[in-house]
Amino acid sequence: MSVENTKTIDGLAYDEENKRICLLLADHIDWSNEYDHLKLLQEKLNTYAYYIQSRQYEKQYFDKEITSALIEIYFKYDISETVEKFLQTAQDNFGQAGILIECHISQ
């Protein structure tokens, strides 16, 4: 799975300590076409938000207490200031629904 598969969840786990679901988003695309890449990322994040808000995870974790959600984005390439601003805006919006976004850059 990857950011290009905008309608799928790349990975899903349960964090027992924090009582939250963790969703993995894998982004292996370079930023040579930043605009199109951001559109893909936005679509993928919207899919994740819908998955969380519609509580689809309850099919797998019906026996778990879930108090929040974390989306972990793993980028293969460094991100620009524009992407950082986009992610901050996404975090501001998602945070209102109890969803945290964490970003990691593979080196």
Side-chain angles (χ1 to χ4, degrees):
M1 302 296 168
S2 79
V3 70
E4 294 172 308
N5 301 87
T6 59
K7 299 298 181 199
T8 61
I9 305 298
D10 296 343
L12 179 67
Y14 178 71
D15 175 356
E16 188 80 41
E17 182 178 332
N18 295 301
K19 294 183 174 30
R20 67 181 173 197
I21 57 164
C22 300
L23 292 85
L24 168 71
L25 194 161
D27 189 327
H28 69 287
I29 302 172
D30 68 42
W31 292 97
S32 58
N33 188 340
E34 188 174 76
Y35 177 77
D36 286 342
H37 191 157
L38 280 172
K39 283 182 12 185
L40 285 174
L41 185 56
Q42 182 174 6
E43 282 184 54
K44 186 80 165 189
L45 286 171
N46 288 341
T47 296
Y48 279 45
Y50 178 77
Y51 179 87
I52 294 164
Q53 292 174 329
S54 63
R55 305 176 72 87
Q56 293 179 39
Y57 55 81
E58 289 181 342
K59 295 173 187 171
Q60 289 174 286
Y61 298 109
F62 59 88
D63 60 337
K64 302 291 185 188
E65 177 186 359
I66 297 172
T67 59
S68 63
L70 169 66
I71 299 173
E72 290 185 275
I73 306 173
Y74 287 86
F75 293 105
K76 183 174 181 178
Y77 298 98
D78 286 331
I79 59 176
S80 69
E81 188 175 318
T82 301
V83 178
E84 286 181 22
K85 288 178 183 177
F86 167 82
L87 291 168
Q88 184 58 56
T89 299
Q91 178 57 74
D92 293 346
N93 292 327
F94 283 42
Q96 296 173 15
I99 302 169
L100 178 64
I101 298 174
E102 282 184 10
C103 299
H104 310 274
I105 300 172
S106 302
Q107 296 293 329

